[in-house]
Amino acid sequence: MTRREKLAQMLVVGVTGAADAERIVQSEKVGGLFIGSWTDLSILTSGAVQRISRKSKTPLMVTVDHEGGRVSRLSKIGVDSPSARELAATKTPAQTRALAASVGKQLKRLGITVDFAPDADVSNESADEVIGDRSFSNDPATVTKYAQAFAQGLQDAGIMPVFKHFPGHGHGSGDSHTGTVRTPPLAQLRTSDLVPYRTLLKMPGVGAMVGHLIVPGLTGTELPASVNARAIGMLRTGKGYGGPPFNGVVFSDDLSGMAAISAKYPIEQAVPMALRAGSDIALWLSTDKVPTVLDALERAMDRGTLSSARVDRSVVRILRAKGVLTC
């Protein structure tokens, strides 16, 4: 791969439909597509996304948010399931795994390869708050059991699960879509929000998404976890919360549509920040700025603030997740 092609593998971008996806894959060879609530879903039902991926030099990650409940982006085409909280209240872990496998098979047939689910947040928020019923429980042990079962079900169907939102959004101060979110101090997260990750990140073949969260005792007061080397370093090493080392793919949360980031940093600044901090993949919602983001990343490499070795490590992780590399 050329340097620019390697950098493009580290981008997953939202698309409006098949034409938008085909254009950006052909012109900039991005590593993945995000199917959002605004996407024309005929890209999936027509088989277009599989065709675009087959034509790509490197297979695409085709990603979606399907947690169930109110985060069911494909409900218009018949893919739906209960919320996490409802599953934990009405199903056993084994039943949850079977349900997730059934959903995963539907995603697989549509051409999806990665699901940004399950939500591993620990929360007692009321159902309609930002995390709310997206969380299985306010009990870390229950979250661990059910998130693991859901993830195993997706894997049974050939879908890569992505746990979110590290290091824990469930007791945060608000909604990162609309502004800055502060969590309880790291010492408190260690006994609650971070507990599920000690087990979940031992699973092979899973990803992790880092939230836009200010964590006292970890991130300082300015840089949220998603663009913070200390937070992503804790995820990678497990040090600081008793977790396992994690060498899977790390995704940023959306960098363009969430005010916790977008109100402070334009996308050409946010993406290099996320990748320098240690994320493998920067996620955002549109294709128009891909060329200028790649230009910014190349400048970062020229300046030495983003090293070739750092990029290569991420690209290897990404290609392993895609099944291109097996070593």
Side-chain angles (χ1 to χ4, degrees), residues 284-322:
W284 79 97
L285 301 183
S286 63
T287 60
D288 55 321
K289 298 291 182 68
V290 169
T292 55
V293 166
L294 285 170
D295 291 344
L297 291 171
E298 290 201 292
R299 288 194 297 271
M301 292 189 75
D302 289 339
R303 292 193 299 266
T305 57
L306 184 65
S307 72
S308 294
R310 163 77 191 79
V311 170
D312 286 348
R313 285 195 298 273
S314 285
V315 173
V316 166
R317 291 188 191 106
I318 292 163
L319 295 181
R320 281 184 186 140
K322 292 180 176 185

Side-chain angles (χ1 to χ4, degrees), residues 244-295:
F246 182 67
N247 196 36
V249 177
V250 173
F251 296 80
S252 76
D253 206 344
D254 163 34
L255 294 167
S256 68
M258 302 179 74
I261 292 292
S262 62
K264 298 178 182 178
Y265 310 109
I267 194 66
E268 296 91 343
Q269 187 177 354
V271 171
M273 289 171 69
L275 299 187
R276 284 198 306 268
S279 284
D280 299 304
I281 290 179
L283 169 70
W284 79 97
L285 301 183
S286 63
T287 60
D288 55 321
K289 298 291 182 68
V290 169
T292 55
V293 166
L294 285 170
D295 291 344

Side-chain angles (χ1 to χ4, degrees), residues 40-207:
D40 179 350
L41 296 181
S42 66
I43 190 176
L44 302 177
T45 57
S46 69
V49 77
Q50 291 103 320
R51 174 179 54 78
I52 295 166
S53 187
R54 285 194 300 269
K55 289 172 62 178
S56 175
K57 180 178 177 181
T58 305
L60 297 174
M61 278 188 178
V62 183
T63 70
V64 72
D65 270 328
H66 181 87
E67 302 170 15
R70 56 195 164 105
V71 185
S72 297
R73 304 299 185 214
L74 307 181
S75 57
K76 291 179 182 177
I77 54 174
V79 183
D80 214 342
S81 58
S83 70
R85 188 167 293 176
E86 184 177 347
L87 287 176
T90 63
K91 305 287 186 188
T92 66
Q95 290 170 329
T96 297
R97 179 173 180 170
L99 182 146
S102 176
V103 168
K105 289 173 184 174
Q106 292 177 279
L107 299 179
K108 189 78 170 176
R109 284 195 294 269
L110 291 167
I112 301 293
T113 66
V114 175
D115 188 7
F116 295 132
D119 193 309
D121 290 316
V122 179
S123 183
N124 60 354
E125 290 179 344
S126 60
D128 60 350
E129 292 189 53
V130 58
I131 300 300
D133 63 359
R134 299 167 64 190
S135 167
F136 289 102
S137 175
N138 197 43
D139 172 35
T142 300
V143 171
T144 301
K145 284 191 299 185
Y146 278 88
Q148 184 171 45
F150 196 100
Q152 287 170 331
L154 291 176
Q155 288 182 322
D156 293 341
I159 300 293
M160 176 181 167
V162 178
F163 296 113
K164 61 187 184 186
H165 308 81
F166 188 91
H169 201 315
H171 298 107
S173 62
D175 184 348
S176 52
H177 292 87
T178 59
T180 300
V181 174
R182 289 178 172 81
T183 73
L186 177 60
Q188 187 172 330
L189 297 190
R190 290 189 187 111
T191 65
S192 179
D193 302 67
L194 280 163
V195 170
Y197 290 102
R198 293 181 186 139
T199 297
L200 299 176
L201 296 185
K202 293 177 182 177
M203 293 177 63
V206 301

